Amino acid sequence: MQSSTPAGRAGRPRSAAADTAILAATRAALVDLGWSKLTLGDVATRAGVAKTTLYRRWAGKNELVVDAVAELFDELELPDRGSLAADIEGVVLQFAAILARPEARSGLMAVVAESTRDDALRERIRTSIVERQKRLVLEGRARAQARGELPPENGAAEAARTADLIFDVVAGAVVHRTLVSARAADEEWVRGLTQVLLWGLAGAGGEPADSGDGGDGGGVDPGGGADAEAAAPR
């Protein structure tokens, strides 16, 4: 959790234990009360802190809920599973599992809805959730490039655009699947999404992806040999 005391506001140093308790209490209140009934007073009571403690840290409910949800997504990791396809599948399954949790589902949907009329809240979502989780794309891409599974981009601007696109495709697909369509992002679905993403990355390498006619399409072989067969939708 990366929120900070506003500039110019003096006081005692922040307590990490209090922050943890407050964010956990916020998520519990979301599940028990829902967005509309959640108040900072209820969160303070659950966390065992004074209401003024919350206001020293967060300006209001919107910011508090964003940080409470962001902390859940900070649990995401990208373990090295040996191939780009396996790495993608692993992190997407983690992401889907977090979105299946009632506190993540209700919190994320609520703040996204509120952000349609609150530009400051939309920016907080972008910086606290989206930009922080792009670390997974950057880490996964660097690992795949080191393995020779992906070519390097032509400069920093192209690298940034590619990272943005990968994140948008994965996050958008999983959020739509789990929260909008209310369907499971199970292993079969995740394999299919991974295959689609890998073919797109192959094309982004500067050569057309292999169309399946036996020719060398350039770029990345999705999963590479046996990995590609394992990653294919069933």
Side-chain angles (χ1 to χ4, degrees):
M1 198 275 295
Q2 297 182 349
S3 58
S4 59
T5 303
R9 181 177 292 181
R12 290 174 295 178
R14 290 186 60 155
S15 163
D19 286 355
T20 298
I22 291 167
L23 295 177
T26 302
R27 293 190 292 268
L30 279 169
V31 175
D32 294 343
L33 303 175
W35 169 267
S36 62
K37 294 182 179 179
L38 184 149
T39 67
L40 267 63
D42 180 78
V43 171
T45 299
R46 290 168 181 259
V49 301
K51 191 174 177 179
T52 53
T53 300
L54 270 72
Y55 281 113
R56 282 199 297 268
R57 291 159 163 77
W58 293 276
K61 180 168 75 171
N62 291 354
E63 294 82 1
L64 175 60
V65 172
V66 170
D67 284 3
V69 174
E71 189 176 61
L72 292 177
F73 295 127
D74 286 341
E75 296 174 10
L76 289 168
E77 297 179 348
L78 189 67
D80 189 340
R81 301 176 69 184
S83 73
L84 178 57
D87 289 355
I88 294 172
E89 289 178 15
V91 76
V92 171
L93 286 169
Q94 288 180 59
F95 182 37
I98 289 174
L99 289 177
R101 294 161 64 171
E103 63 270 33
R105 183 170 61 245
S106 59
L108 185 60
M109 293 289 274
V111 294
V112 168
E114 288 294 311
S115 73
T116 61
R117 48 184 177 269
D118 186 335
D119 290 342
L121 179 59
R122 186 181 302 115
E123 177 65 14
R124 192 177 186 98
I125 293 171
R126 188 185 67 80
T127 57
S128 296
I129 298 177
V130 175
E131 292 301 327
R132 268 170 39 191
Q133 298 315 318
K134 280 183 184 176
R135 63 185 171 83
L136 299 165
V137 174
L138 300 176
E139 182 182 347
R141 182 179 62 187
R143 183 184 296 164
Q145 289 173 338
R147 292 187 188 124
E149 294 175 293
L150 288 178
E153 290 85 1
N154 296 317
E158 181 181 323
R161 285 194 300 269
T162 301
D164 285 347
L165 185 57
I166 293 170
F167 184 89
D168 289 347
V169 168
V170 173
V174 179
V175 168
H176 187 278
R177 175 77 175 185
T178 58
L179 301 187
V180 179
S181 298
R183 300 175 68 185
D186 56 19
E187 292 188 5
E188 181 178 5
W189 183 86
V190 171
R191 280 196 299 269
L193 174 65
T194 299
Q195 191 71 5
V196 169
L197 183 60
L198 289 173
W199 282 119
L201 287 170
E207 296 288 343
D210 186 353
S211 62
D213 60 1
D216 181 5
V220 60
D221 176 7
D227 287 334
E229 182 177 354
R234 293 179 173 82

